[in-house]
Amino acid sequence: MATYPYRAACPTSVWSGLIDSASTRIEFAGYTNYFIWQEHPRIADKFRAKLEAGCAVRFLVGDVDSPVTAQREAVEGVPLTLTTRISITMDALTRLRGDDPPAGLETRISDRHIALSVFRFDGEMLVTPHLSSLLGHESPTLHLRRRGPDGLFDRFAGHVDALWKDARKAWA
């Protein structure tokens, strides 16, 4: 549907529109996913409303204790480390879960998706292949819509499903 030379060039209105229009599934399979909490005020309220309406909301987040994370932090060499960015997301998800976790909210931990972020909203997705030593917001983003079986959308969705299956639950 569209391409952006940088994830940061994808308008916040696109992200908001995709989140608002999703009714069955929202997936954030980015290593940190921290930007969503920073760039979208009241996003937790939106997720809560989606969950209450029966939409599944899943987050696949990087492993702060993984050697993969430590190695990537060395490559990036920025003060806002992967560990800090992951912690921002985990803190926000912990607050979203609250004392009585809403049905449909799931979070898993993996270090296998460090080079590719996939954000799914029902039949549309944003995909960011991470380039070299660049941060996620500096890498290109593709906006895809599912058009039929075994296309780009299904291939990226299958990739996330396989990662999800092998990832560990964030909370017991």
Side-chain angles (χ1 to χ4, degrees):
M1 292 183 56
T3 58
Y4 303 95
Y6 309 94
R7 187 181 67 213
C10 181
T12 56
S13 60
V14 170
W15 290 92
S16 293
L18 290 168
I19 292 166
D20 291 344
S21 66
S23 60
T24 59
R25 174 185 237 171
I26 296 173
E27 287 180 322
F28 276 75
Y31 208 74
T32 69
N33 300 300
Y34 86 102
F35 69 92
I36 200 68
W37 312 101
Q38 306 302 304
E39 297 173 6
H40 295 269
R42 306 184 56 87
I43 191 67
D45 293 337
K46 280 189 176 189
F47 287 145
R48 194 171 288 109
K50 289 294 179 179
L51 290 159
E52 289 171 2
C55 184
V57 178
R58 299 191 331 176
F59 276 80
L60 183 64
V61 181
D63 183 349
V64 295
D65 297 320
S66 168
V68 171
T69 301
Q71 180 182 24
R72 183 63 190 181
E73 284 182 348
V75 168
E76 289 183 356
V78 296
L80 188 58
T81 64
L82 283 175
T83 300
T84 299
R85 288 178 273 162
I86 292 167
S87 295
I88 289 168
T89 291
M90 294 306 293
D91 178 66
L93 290 170
T94 298
R95 285 186 274 122
L96 181 59
R97 285 181 83 239
D99 294 330
D100 185 21
L105 177 62
E106 294 182 85
T107 302
R108 293 199 180 177
I109 308 295
S110 175
D111 67 3
R112 295 183 50 218
H113 65 296
I114 196 157
L116 180 71
S117 297
V118 179
F119 311 100
R120 183 176 180 176
F121 313 90
D122 292 343
E124 293 187 46
M125 67 176 48
L126 296 169
V127 177
T128 301
H130 297 266
L131 301 180
S132 183
S133 61
L134 299 179
L135 301 175
H137 69 272
E138 298 173 308
S139 293
T141 294
L142 313 170
H143 185 172
L144 306 175
R145 177 176 287 151
R146 188 174 193 277
R147 299 267 188 218
D150 204 31
L152 280 177
F153 183 97
D154 283 358
R155 296 195 66 205
F156 285 119
H159 171 73
V160 172
D161 289 344
L163 292 170
W164 185 264
K165 180 182 161 199
D166 292 337
R168 72 179 193 279
K169 292 182 179 182
W171 296 281

